Structure formats: structure tokens, C-alpha cells
């Protein structure tokens, strides 16, 4: 039946249906019926029908009800009705049931998912009906107490029938043919004024309490939001302090670097000014060039010189080939120089190979 009804939340609907069927305060059965909305549309809905028990003045009574589960259950509250039989009618003074049988107890008006479920709804209906039973029975005249008891035992509604008979509610006829009226919860007697006062006080108290609960929930939510904002601000302040300290340290390091660079610059300027202005001597120039690269050992210097000469020979061979291609030189001159340069290049490569072995470097 749940699959046929196709509710939005099947697992939650199955949970609530099982809770309603297994409830200790009710005797309900599941069925699938056509439900007609106020706008004229109809839809197949899951319906739990049966009775819910209530206690009144030491007696236990069963109230017939029907609970329709909406397709969006439990996001949307169910619709419940009190379904009086042909010998019953809804109490016109009930604050929990409308004249058409619609149940309007506070729990249903304040339905909120996920805090509300079907089991608690049934218990709330039982508590509300125990305070103010919503239906009355029209017992036909001419029948004895035994007949009334037998008729009541044939239905599951009141389980106790040895209640005092109410005052006459019908018109005409003798005492034996008068029509008595009493509710399935308490006899139809004169309702004292304090009952109305207590009912009004209870309704006002429930409304004020609900409004106070909503206000407290809103206030608590705002407080939690402000606390979260305060925590975020404190964490942000700590991060800003760390970033400021790091920036200050980097600024100090940068100033130290600038000071060191200025000092080195001044030293280089002083050294430049102290150098002699005359540097035209060829031997002097050669000594500066020789000292331009400092090697840790003579073998590295020899390796460097052989490497440079080998590349110079490679460039010279290229230009000789280019000159031959452009016919700037003859073939005999080209071959002569190529033989000499190739022999020298071979010796330089052998020298580099030996130097790399001595220096412990990788040999290609």
C-alpha cells in the first residue's frame, strides 16, 4: 500500500505507520482510500483508521478516528478526523475537534519535522480526549440498560457502560421512551462555568507557551550565530597578528640586506678608486685574465683550457666548411687545415678524458 501511495519519504512513512499500528493507546489498521481536498481534487492516501483510547473519570473509552497521511509526510502534518457512528455526534463545545470532525489539537497545529511523529500524535490525541471527550452517543429510548450495554459491547467505542444515565435530552413521551444523550467519555450534564474558564486559561497558556518557545528558539539561534561570528573574528585577529609579525620580521631582514649591499658597494667603489689608472700593459692584462677564474686544483684549470680550445676548434671547422661552401677557399687549403685541426682536437679530447678521470668526474 505504501508503494501504491508513492509518498515522498517512504522509509519515514513506513516507520510512522508501524508506530501507529503498534501503539499501545490505539487500535489502528492501514488502508488506502480516496481523499477529496477542498479544491475538488482527489488522491489516494494512506489512512490509519480505528480507535484511540482515552481515560475519563476512571473509565476507559475508545474514540473512532481516521488519520490521513499526506504525500509529503512527515514534512507536512497529517489530517485526522473523529468519525462518529450513526448513534454518535461530535460535541459542539469541544476545543479539540471541529463540528465536521477535524482534529485540531495543539500538537497537530505545531507539527514540525523531525520533532513530530505519528506515535506522539496518537498519544497527544489520547491525552486531549481524556480531558475533553469529543463525541456523544444518542441512545434510543425504550431500550433497557442491558440493551444499551449489549449495543455498546458490539462496538469498540466505550468499554464501560455502567455510567449514570443523563438527564432527558429529547422531547415528548414517557420516561421509558425518552431519548438520552451522553458522550463517549462523560455524561451530558450541566457544564459548570469553571470548566469554560479552565479551558480558556489552558488555551491561552498553550498559545503563550508556544509563542515563548518560538521566541526562545529564535533568540538562541541568534545567540549561537553571534557566538560563531565572535569566534571567527577572534581567529581572524590571531591570523592577522601572525601575518603582521611575519611582515615586520621580513622588513627587518630586508633592511639588513640593504645595509649589507650598501656596505659592499662602498667597498667596491673604494677598491676601484685605489686601482692604478694605467692598465695598457699586455702582460698585466694577461695576468688579470688568468686570475679571472680560480680553480681548486691545476687539473681543473687544464681541463677548462682544453675544453675551451676544443670548442674553438669546433667553431673554426664550421667556418672552414662555410668558406668552402661559398668558394672563399680552395679544397686543398680546406683539407690541410682540417687535418691539422682534427689532430689537435683529438689530442684535446683525450686530454679532457684523462683530466676527468684524475679529477674523479664522470666520463662520457
Amino acid at each position: 500500500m505504501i508503494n501504491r501511495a508513492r509518498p515522498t519519504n517512504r522509509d519515514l512513512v513506513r516507520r510512522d505507520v508501524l508506530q501507529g499500528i503498534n501503539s499501545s493507546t490505539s487500535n489502528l489498521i492501514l488502508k488506502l482510500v480516496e481523499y477529496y481536498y477542498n479544491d475538488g481534487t482527489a488522491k489516494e492516501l494512506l489512512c490509519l483508521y480505528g480507535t484511540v483510547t482515552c481515560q475519563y473519570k476512571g473509565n476507559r473509552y475508545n474514540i473512532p478516528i481516521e488519520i490521513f497521511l499526506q504525500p509529503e509526510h512527515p514534512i507536512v502534518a497529517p489530517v485526522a478526523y473523529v468519525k462518529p457512528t450513526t448513534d454518535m455526534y461530535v460535541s459542539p463545545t469541544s476545543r479539540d475537534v471541529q463540528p465536521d470532525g477535524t482534529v485540531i489539537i495543539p500538537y497537530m497545529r505545531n507539527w514540525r519535522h523531525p520533532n513530530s511523529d505519528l506515535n506522539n500524535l496518537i498519544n497527544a490525541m489520547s491525552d486531549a480526549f481524556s480531558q475533553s471527550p469529543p463525541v456523544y452517543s444518542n441512545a434510543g429510548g425504550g431500550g433497557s440498560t442491558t440493551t444499551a450495554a449489549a449495543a455498546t459491547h458490539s462496538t469498540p467505542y466505550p468499554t464501560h457502560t455502567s455510567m449514570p444515565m443523563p438527564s432527558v435530552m429529547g422531547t415528548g413521551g414517557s420516561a421509558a421512551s425518552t431519548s438520552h444523550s451522553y458522550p463517549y467519555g462523560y455524561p451530558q450534564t450541566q457544564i459548570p462555568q469553571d470548566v469554560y474558564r479552565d479551558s480558556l486559561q489552558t488555551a491561552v497558556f498553550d498559545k503563550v507557551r508556544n509563542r515563548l518557545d518560538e521566541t526562545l528558539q529564535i533568540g538562541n539561534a541568534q545567540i549561537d550565530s553571534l557566538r560563531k561570528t565572535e569566534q571567527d573574528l577572534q581567529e581572524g585577529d590571531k591570523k592577522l597578528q601572525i601575518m603582521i609579525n611575519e611582515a615586520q620580521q621580513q622588513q627587518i631582514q630586508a633592511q639588513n640586506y640593504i645595509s649589507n649591499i650598501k656596505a659592499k658597494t662602498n667597498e667596491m667603489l673604494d677598491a676601484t678608486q685605489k686601482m692604478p689608472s694605467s692598465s695598457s700593459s699586455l702582460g698585466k692584462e694577461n695576468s688579470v685574465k688568468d686570475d679571472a677564474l680560480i680553480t681548486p686544483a691545476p687539473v681543473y684549470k687544464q681541463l677548462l683550457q682544453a675544453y675551451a680550445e676544443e670548442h674553438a676548434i669546433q667553431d673554426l671547422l664550421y667556418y672552414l666548411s662555410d668558406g668552402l661552401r661559398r668558394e672563399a677557399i680552395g679544397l686543398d687549403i680546406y683539407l690541410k687545415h682540417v687535418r691539422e685541426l682534427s689532430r689537435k682536437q683529438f689530442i684535446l679530447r683525450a686530454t679532457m678524458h684523462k683530466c676527468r678521470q684524475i679529477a674523479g668526474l664522470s666520463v662520457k
Side-chain angles (χ1 to χ4, degrees), residues 25-28 50-54 61-65 122-123 125-126 129:
T25 57
S26 64
N27 183 17
L28 300 176
T51 60
V52 59
T53 60
C54 65
Y61 302 102
N62 296 326
I63 308 299
I65 63 167
I122 295 173
N123 293 334
M125 292 171 62
S126 177
F129 296 164

Side-chain angles (χ1 to χ4, degrees), residues 228-266:
K228 183 66 169 60
T229 303
E230 181 184 8
Q231 183 179 0
D232 293 341
L233 290 175
Q234 291 177 353
E235 293 178 356
D237 181 65
K238 292 179 180 178
K239 292 180 180 179
L240 287 175
Q241 292 295 333
I242 294 174
M243 295 173 64
I244 290 172
N245 294 334
E246 292 179 352
Q248 291 176 350
Q249 293 178 359
Q250 292 177 359
Q251 183 180 7
I252 294 173
Q253 292 178 357
Q255 291 176 353
N256 293 334
Y257 293 152
I258 292 173
S259 300
N260 293 333
I261 291 173
K262 288 182 178 179
K264 295 293 183 181
T265 304
N266 294 330

Side-chain angles (χ1 to χ4, degrees), residues 22-48:
N22 298 325
S23 175
S24 60
T25 57
S26 64
N27 183 17
L28 300 176
I29 302 174
L30 181 66
K31 64 179 179 179
L32 192 63
V33 296
E34 198 83 8
Y35 182 83
Y36 293 90
Y37 292 91
N38 294 331
D39 57 0
T41 59
K43 184 177 293 186
E44 271 194 330
L45 298 183
L46 294 170
C47 174
L48 287 170

Side-chain angles (χ1 to χ4, degrees), residues 200-210:
L200 182 60
Q201 289 178 351
T202 302
V204 173
F205 176 76
D206 291 341
K207 190 170 184 179
V208 172
R209 182 177 60 186
N210 293 335

Side-chain angles (χ1 to χ4, degrees), residues 220-232:
N220 291 333
Q222 292 176 349
I223 291 173
D224 294 339
S225 177
L226 291 175
R227 287 177 178 174
K228 183 66 169 60
T229 303
E230 181 184 8
Q231 183 179 0
D232 293 341

Side-chain angles (χ1 to χ4, degrees), residues 148-343:
T152 352
H153 280 296
S154 63
T155 60
Y157 306 122
T159 58
H160 297 272
T161 56
S162 59
M163 62 177 67
M165 295 301 292
S167 58
V168 177
M169 297 296 295
T171 58
S174 62
S177 61
T178 56
S179 175
H180 299 283
S181 175
Y182 57 93
Y184 275 103
Y186 60 88
Q188 176 68 22
T189 57
Q190 183 66 29
I191 301 177
Q193 294 296 328
D194 57 351
V195 173
Y196 292 103
R197 185 178 65 253
D198 294 342
S199 176
L200 182 60
Q201 289 178 351
T202 302
V204 173
F205 176 76
D206 291 341
K207 190 170 184 179
V208 172
R209 182 177 60 186
N210 293 335
R211 184 64 60 84
L212 180 61
D213 291 342
E214 293 178 359
T215 304
L216 289 176
Q217 290 177 0
I218 295 174
N220 291 333
Q222 292 176 349
I223 291 173
D224 294 339
S225 177
L226 291 175
R227 287 177 178 174
K228 183 66 169 60
T229 303
E230 181 184 8
Q231 183 179 0
D232 293 341
L233 290 175
Q234 291 177 353
E235 293 178 356
D237 181 65
K238 292 179 180 178
K239 292 180 180 179
L240 287 175
Q241 292 295 333
I242 294 174
M243 295 173 64
I244 290 172
N245 294 334
E246 292 179 352
Q248 291 176 350
Q249 293 178 359
Q250 292 177 359
Q251 183 180 7
I252 294 173
Q253 292 178 357
Q255 291 176 353
N256 293 334
Y257 293 152
I258 292 173
S259 300
N260 293 333
I261 291 173
K262 288 182 178 179
K264 295 293 183 181
T265 304
N266 294 330
E267 292 178 1
M268 292 177 64
L269 291 175
D270 294 340
T272 304
Q273 292 176 0
K274 293 178 181 180
M275 291 176 62
S277 57
S278 176
S279 58
S280 58
S281 174
L282 181 60
K284 188 67 175 178
E285 289 179 358
N286 293 336
S287 64
V288 172
K289 291 180 180 179
D290 293 339
D291 296 338
L293 295 176
I294 300 175
T295 56
V299 67
Y300 293 103
K301 186 175 181 180
Q302 185 179 3
L303 177 62
L304 180 62
Q305 291 176 351
Y307 181 80
E309 291 180 11
E310 193 270 337
H311 277 70
I313 291 174
Q314 190 71 25
D315 294 339
L316 183 56
L317 291 173
Y318 169 77
Y319 286 113
L320 286 174
S321 300
D322 186 64
L324 179 63
R325 181 180 58 81
R326 290 187 289 114
E327 298 181 354
I329 60 175
L331 180 60
D332 53 345
I333 298 176
Y334 171 78
L335 294 176
K336 177 183 178 181
H337 287 289
V338 167
R339 282 195 298 269
E340 294 177 357
L341 293 174
S342 299
R343 187 181 301 108

